[in-house]
Amino acid sequence: MKDSNFLKEHNARQFWHPMTHPADSNANPPTILTGGEGVYITDVDGHRSIDAVGGLWNVNLGYSCAPVKAAIAAQLDALPYYSTFRGTSNDKAIELAYLLADFFEPDGMTRSFFTSGGSDSIEVALKFARQYHRIRGEGTRTKFISLEKGYHGTHFGAASINGNAKFRNAYEPLLAGCFHIPGPYLYRNPFGVESAAELAKLSAAMLEREIAFQGANTVAAFIMEPVLGAGGVIPPHPTFMQMVRDICDKHGVLLITDEVITAFGRTGSPTGSRHWGVQPDLMCTAKAITNGYFPFGAVMIADHIASVFEEDRTGMGSVDMGYTYSGHPVGAAAAVATMTETTRIRPWENAGPRGAELKAGLTELATRYDVIGDVRGEGLMCAIELVSDRVAKTPVGKAAPLAFQQAAYQDGVMVRVSGNNVILSPPLIIDASHVQKILAATEAGLKAVAAS
């Protein structure tokens, strides 16, 4: 490996970093990480920090999950690659499909289609939704509705349903037929209501209104994250998702849940859909399916959707898409090991109470620091929204979140900033002492913002 001086000098020169302006990377080179153990990461200078980002919402079981590492190594020796196209498969992909069917059985999912990651899973689900309606003779159902502030990925279909213009404008025009409704973002809702339950009803009414406006026979699916993640950690009211399910059923619209972040325990339940007591038609997963150790994803398919494809005799049910790495044997082996370990330790049982402690601590900090405008969270998905004026809800300037992040990191905790939001999504194996350390570093960040 190159020495630390070389790495620092060349940090931002040879490749562009995602979600970053190239000029910003040159002016503020990214932190260079060289090690990970348990819930800790270590940088090139030997600085050790709790990873309160969890990689990118995906290292649920931490950086020392030996069974997953061993499975990857063993599979590289046995069969490092073969495709699952047209007549070939591999033992690990088959084993994984059965494990996933068992895990997602309470969500009504019985089949899986393997992808290379979250954006791929979204893209596949959108295509399956259109194809499902076409097989059934309703080819006019091509449109998609999603939530404002929702985030679904980077491909053209995924970007088209993103509910934040920041992730769309530079790449437009995007996929036609994608529409958005106000989501359950209570802090800045367009209706001016102060009740989350009332907002849930209003947002659900907007969905029904949009379906009627577009024409129900033109709408293929509604897609949502059970808890909005990258948009600022926005949990809906507990009644919202069931209302959405009922509206979709009423109008023959499929419900796709984007569980790229929320599957496998982050909300304090095995899945986000289960957290709210709803069964979707299609479910998109990735990230924690391999604990972040290998790029992999799966679209989970409900039995009533799968049967339409499997019973088709016209040829319209043929799945004429796939990825070179769909069902990659090394990725599948990593996922098998991750699923086995996840089922064994049930990390959602820790994520719930640790998340409650973290949110309570953030709420207490908000009583002492006016720069906190809002505190949100569900399980080990938490966020604080930084404002310069609490009454006017004025977002802080661009420099404040950076100052926060740097101060927290120096205090021993890596956090994520997105706009004026500070997002916390640590591994699901953290203990109470880690929560207290995250809160202490959060306070260090708040002090830095207050002093700036």
Side-chain angles (χ1 to χ4, degrees):
M1 186 182 76
K2 298 291 186 180
D3 64 33
S4 61
N5 289 332
F6 177 91
L7 292 172
K8 290 176 184 177
E9 183 180 351
H10 293 80
N11 191 4
R13 294 184 181 179
Q14 300 307 124
F15 72 95
W16 287 356
H17 293 75
M19 300 293 182
T20 308
H21 194 293
D24 289 340
S25 289
N26 289 327
N28 301 287
T31 301
I32 306 170
L33 300 174
T34 57
E37 182 180 8
V39 300
Y40 293 89
I41 49 175
T42 304
D43 69 21
V44 71
D45 293 317
H47 181 73
R48 188 168 181 256
S49 304
I50 293 175
D51 180 16
V53 188
L56 198 61
W57 316 88
N58 56 348
V59 187
N60 282 10
L61 307 181
Y63 292 92
S64 300
C65 193
V68 182
K69 294 180 181 181
I72 290 172
Q75 189 61 42
L76 283 169
D77 279 341
L79 179 67
Y81 175 73
Y82 207 82
S83 86
T84 56
F85 277 42
R86 294 179 177 172
T88 56
S89 186
N90 65 74
D91 55 340
K92 293 302 179 183
I94 296 168
E95 182 179 0
L96 175 60
Y98 278 93
L99 287 175
L100 291 174
D102 286 343
F103 185 84
F104 289 106
E105 189 274 335
D107 300 294
M109 304 288 112
T110 61
R111 299 288 190 275
S112 50
F113 182 91
F114 297 133
T115 71
S116 302
S119 293
D120 288 354
S121 293
I122 296 295
E123 208 80 1
V124 167
L126 298 180
K127 289 180 178 178
F128 277 163
R130 283 185 172 179
Q131 189 176 5
Y132 165 82
H133 290 300
R134 192 159 295 176
I135 296 169
R136 297 176 67 251
E138 293 189 273
T140 58
R141 289 185 179 269
T142 62
K143 297 174 183 175
F144 301 105
I145 303 174
S146 54
L147 295 174
E148 294 173 5
K149 302 294 288 184
Y151 180 79
H152 302 287
T154 60
H155 297 348
F156 262 72
S160 301
I161 57 173
N162 280 345
N164 187 331
K166 172 182 172 62
F167 303 119
R168 299 164 48 90
N169 289 350
Y171 315 108
E172 292 175 329
L174 296 171
L175 180 68
C178 298
F179 305 93
H180 301 82
I181 62 167
Y185 183 23
L186 184 62
Y187 186 61
R188 297 185 188 276
N189 76 84
F191 306 104
V193 300
E194 297 182 359
S195 162
E198 184 179 358
L199 178 60
K201 292 178 182 178
L202 290 168
S203 294
M206 290 298 291
L207 172 61
E208 186 144 37
R209 180 180 182 277
E210 188 66 24
I211 291 172
F213 177 75
Q214 296 297 333
N217 67 331
T218 72
V219 180
F222 174 73
I223 182 167
M224 67 170 286
E225 302 164 273
V227 177
L228 280 67
V233 183
I234 302 170
H237 188 268
T239 61
F240 179 67
M241 203 166 172
Q242 184 59 60
M243 286 190 283
V244 164
R245 175 74 274 182
D246 292 343
I247 291 167
C248 288
D249 288 343
K250 177 181 176 181
H251 297 287
V253 174
L254 298 186
L255 173 59
I256 303 172
T257 56
D258 178 349
E259 300 240 18
V260 171
I261 289 173
T262 53
F264 311 113
R266 185 154 291 281
T267 63
S269 299
T271 70
S273 298
R274 216 175 304 176
H275 193 71
W276 304 125
V278 171
Q279 291 186 336
D281 300 298
L282 296 161
M283 180 188 288
C284 302
T285 74
K287 288 191 183 292
I289 196 170
T290 62
N291 201 41
Y293 292 6
F294 195 95
F296 202 88
V299 177
M300 301 306 302
I301 307 160
D303 189 62
H304 63 278
I305 303 296
S307 64
V308 169
F309 285 79
E310 293 172 359
E311 295 169 10
D312 170 68
R313 296 296 178 265
T314 69
M316 294 178 66
S318 176
V319 180
D320 295 322
M321 60 174 167
Y323 299 97
T324 298
Y325 301 110
S326 292
H328 193 295
V330 179
V336 166
T338 302
M339 291 302 304
T340 301
E341 191 69 0
T342 296
T343 302
R344 182 183 73 83
I345 70 172
R346 302 171 64 87
W348 50 88
E349 293 180 353
N350 186 59
R354 297 293 83 74
E357 291 170 4
L358 181 57
K359 186 179 178 183
L362 296 173
T363 301
E364 190 280 327
L365 287 172
T367 67
R368 295 189 283 118
Y369 291 90
D370 289 343
V371 71
I372 299 179
D374 194 31
V375 175
R376 301 183 290 270
E378 195 74 32
L380 278 174
M381 300 175 67
C382 288
I384 57 174
E385 186 163 344
L386 303 178
V387 294
S388 58
D389 184 321
R390 187 177 271 184
V391 175
K393 301 182 180 180
T394 308
V396 294
K398 185 176 181 180
L402 181 59
F404 186 109
Q405 185 178 42
Q406 291 173 340
Y409 186 68
Q410 288 305 310
D411 202 57
V413 175
M414 175 69 83
V415 303
R416 182 185 182 195
V417 295
S418 178
N420 65 316
N421 296 305
V422 177
I423 294 174
L424 302 170
S425 54
L428 307 190
I429 60 171
I430 62 169
D431 61 30
S433 68
H434 297 130
V435 172
Q436 293 308 309
K437 179 58 180 174
I438 293 170
L439 291 170
T442 298
E443 184 163 19
L446 292 168
K447 289 178 179 177
V449 172
S452 63

